[in-house]
């Protein structure tokens, strides 16, 4: 099968961000860069944590808001960096940190072999537990493109792709505080092979799962399922009919957020329309497609601002580089603002917010070396108060 892949920029010259970022001493250093790739951020009381992959050793690393760096994975273990694989980071109810990541063990293309592993820290990231395999599989195959979501009761739901059902499909399990897991559940036995899954814990206790499905004639619509508290995932069908058929791997998964009154929003890349699509659904309801951002775009993330508006960040291709743009919705979530350019060269932006604080992370190549960028997106939004 032919490989469908958006070009990746492997080299670039550092250019200052269009927006000037500052530091907020009460929040921690919210405007800095350092060597690394595939970052994920977590905002906690009084600071933040960044987990990323060391570009030379491929070890998983932790960096706190004061710049202290700790290796998480054992020496010699390599994180799977294919496509949208990225580490996952969460804070449990007891304040401990949890990371989940795919370990690379060998292979090529769609024959990668690996494990899905978890580690925990109870001292703010200074030390980490030994790795624990959590995919519950024994066969030599890949287990990757994962996501996690913490329910209000403290359970952590994990989703990922593997081929235990015969074809690549979505699996899920519940990760307990001691890093043991419930038996894996096959949510959908046939999906797109290499688009990241997305999980979201809604305020009512439901967990939403979205993923790129694989239907007849290679149609790759976004599908979704919902797990009510104490119940397995129930398939709900397609988010929307993109009717995008491609004999390859888009390597572009969806992203969730929640707005007022429990409305769940999803953003994803639709290659057929050349657009970032968005859709919303109320609890128990179906998704309704909303306005899209068209152009040479990819890898969106969607979130909620402190005032309840939505924020949409994504890549857009200009001058053979991947710029990062930001748009905000109006109060009614009915239309998007004109774009603000956050950086003229960057990839895979990820937004996270807690209370009045927010962070945006992405990867940027400087002198052929990947660098993690950590910025405060609220400073780029006119009229946004902290």
């Amino acid at each position: 099968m032919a490989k469908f892949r958006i070009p990746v920029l492997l080299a670039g010259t550092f250019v200052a961000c269009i927006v000037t970022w500052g530091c907020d001493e009460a929040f921690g250093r919210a405007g800095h860069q350092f060597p690394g790739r595939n970052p994920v951020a977590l905002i906690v009381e009084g600071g933040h944590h960044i987990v990323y992959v060391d570009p030379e050793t491929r070890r998983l690393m932790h960096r706190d808001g004061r710049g202290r760096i700790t290796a998480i994975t054992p020496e010699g273990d390599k994180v799977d960096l294919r496509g949208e694989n990225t580490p996952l980071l969460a804070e449990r109810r007891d304040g401990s940190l949890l990371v989940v990541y795919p370990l690379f063990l060998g292979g090529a293309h769609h024959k990668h072999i690996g494990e899905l592993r978890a580690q925990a820290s109870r001292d703010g990231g200074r030390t980490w537990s030994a790795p624990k395999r959590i995919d519950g599989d024994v066969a030599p195959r890949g287990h990757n493109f994962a996501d996690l979501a913490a329910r209000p009761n403290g359970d952590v739901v994990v989703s990922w792709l593997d081929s235990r059902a015969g074809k690549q499909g979505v699996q899920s399990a519940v990760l307990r505080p001691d890093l043991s897991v419930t038996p894996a559940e096959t949510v959908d036995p046939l999906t797109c092979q290499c688009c990241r899954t997305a999980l979201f814990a809604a305020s009512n206790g439901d967990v939403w799962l979205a993923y790129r499905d694989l239907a007849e004639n290679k149609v790759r619509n976004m599908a979704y399922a919902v797990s009510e508290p104490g119940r397995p995932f129930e398939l709900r069908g397609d988010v929307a009919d993109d009717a995008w058929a491609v004999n390859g791997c888009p390597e572009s998964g969806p992203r969730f957020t929640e707005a007022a009154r429990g409305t769940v929003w999803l953003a994803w890349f639709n290659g057929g329309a050349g657009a970032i699509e968005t859709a919303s659904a109320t609890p128990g309801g179906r998704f309704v497609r909303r306005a899209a951002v068209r152009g040479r775009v990819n890898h969106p993330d969607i979130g909620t601002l402190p005032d309840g508006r939505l924020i949409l960040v994504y890549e857009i291709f200009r001058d053979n580089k991947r710029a990062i743009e930001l748009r905000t919705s109006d109060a009614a979530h009915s239309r998007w603002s004109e774009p603000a350019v956050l950086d003229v060269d960057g990839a895979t932006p990820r937004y996270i917010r807690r209370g009045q604080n927010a962070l945006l992370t992405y990867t940027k190549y400087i002198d052929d070396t990947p660098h993690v960028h950590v910025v405060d997106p609220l400073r780029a939004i006119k009229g946004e108060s902290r």
Side-chain angles (χ1 to χ4, degrees):
M1 182 171 63
K3 190 74 170 176
F4 178 89
R5 196 185 285 269
I6 297 295
V8 175
L9 179 68
L10 296 180
T13 302
F14 176 75
V15 181
C17 294
I18 299 301
V19 179
T20 300
W21 310 102
C23 292
D24 185 337
E25 292 298 329
F27 180 46
R29 298 174 62 204
H32 54 286
Q33 66 185 33
F34 50 87
R37 58 178 296 180
N38 297 43
V40 61
L42 175 69
I43 300 173
V44 297
E45 191 69 31
H48 64 268
H49 300 272
I50 309 294
V51 167
Y52 62 99
V53 179
D54 180 87
E56 293 186 2
T57 65
R58 287 173 60 177
R59 292 180 75 179
L60 194 62
M61 309 296 291
H62 167 266
R63 181 180 179 121
D64 65 18
R66 298 182 178 180
R68 294 177 297 199
I69 299 174
T70 305
I72 300 175
T73 52
E75 186 176 3
D77 283 1
K78 295 183 178 181
V79 176
D80 189 345
L81 292 176
R82 270 187 312 149
E84 286 195 294
N85 271 323
T86 187
L88 309 171
L89 175 62
E91 182 184 27
R92 288 191 176 273
R93 287 200 303 175
D94 62 2
S96 62
L97 302 178
L98 170 70
V99 294
V100 172
Y101 57 92
L103 182 72
F104 175 77
L105 296 177
H109 302 296
H110 294 308
K111 301 298 183 182
H112 274 67
I113 298 172
E115 302 174 358
L116 198 63
R117 289 189 174 182
Q119 293 180 241
S121 173
R122 299 186 180 278
D123 56 11
R126 289 185 290 274
T127 61
W128 293 84
S129 67
K132 183 74 174 291
R133 185 174 184 179
I134 63 169
D135 55 66
D137 200 4
V138 295
R141 54 175 145 244
H143 306 83
N144 38 51
F145 308 119
D147 202 3
L148 60 76
R151 290 189 188 271
N153 67 358
D155 287 345
V156 174
V157 182
V158 184
S159 63
W160 69 93
L161 298 183
D162 72 35
S163 59
R164 72 183 69 195
K167 299 287 186 179
Q168 192 84 319
V170 179
Q171 312 295 328
S172 73
V174 175
L175 182 58
R176 304 184 182 99
D178 64 354
L179 302 188
S180 63
V181 290
T182 60
E185 166 198 356
T186 299
V187 181
D188 190 328
L190 180 61
T191 68
C192 188
Q193 295 88 344
C194 53
C195 288
R196 182 183 173 184
T197 60
L199 283 175
F200 184 77
S203 57
N204 68 348
D206 292 349
V207 172
W208 296 64
L209 166 67
Y211 57 93
R212 195 177 294 278
D213 203 5
L214 180 58
E216 293 183 7
N217 300 318
K218 305 296 183 181
V219 172
R220 298 174 189 265
N221 288 341
M222 286 295 166
Y224 75 109
V226 178
S227 170
E228 297 175 354
R231 298 183 61 83
F233 279 102
E234 175 188 343
L235 293 175
R236 298 286 177 87
D238 288 347
V239 175
D241 185 11
D242 291 343
W244 181 29
V246 56
N247 186 28
C249 283
E251 294 188 359
S252 189
R255 302 288 291 177
F256 278 110
T257 194
E258 184 176 2
R261 296 180 294 278
T263 301
V264 172
W265 283 78
L266 192 75
W268 72 96
F269 171 64
N270 175 3
I276 301 299
E277 306 279 5
T278 61
S280 64
T282 55
R286 303 284 296 181
F287 275 101
V288 177
R289 193 196 301 260
R290 303 294 182 179
V293 177
R294 298 186 181 276
R296 297 186 64 197
V297 292
N298 204 349
H299 296 135
D301 198 6
I302 191 169
T304 308
L305 295 169
D307 63 7
R309 291 178 295 152
L310 299 175
I311 178 173
L312 185 67
V313 291
Y314 52 91
E315 300 168 355
I316 184 164
F317 289 81
R318 291 197 185 97
D319 300 324
N320 295 318
K321 294 182 180 180
R322 293 193 285 185
I324 296 177
E325 286 187 348
L326 174 154
R327 295 175 187 244
T328 58
S329 75
D330 59 5
H333 308 144
S334 60
R335 60 184 177 85
W336 295 102
S337 68
E338 291 299 313
V341 180
L342 297 182
D343 202 326
V344 296
D345 184 6
T348 319
R350 289 290 177 257
Y351 171 86
I352 187 169
R353 179 180 70 88
R354 176 173 175 169
Q356 296 297 309
N357 293 313
L359 287 177
L360 184 77
T361 57
Y362 58 95
T363 303
K364 177 173 179 172
Y365 278 80
I366 302 173
D367 296 330
D368 297 332
T369 299
H371 281 67
V372 171
H373 279 235
V374 185
V375 298
D376 179 353
L378 301 186
R379 298 180 183 274
I381 301 171
K382 184 178 180 180
E384 185 66 35
S385 61
R386 293 294 307 278

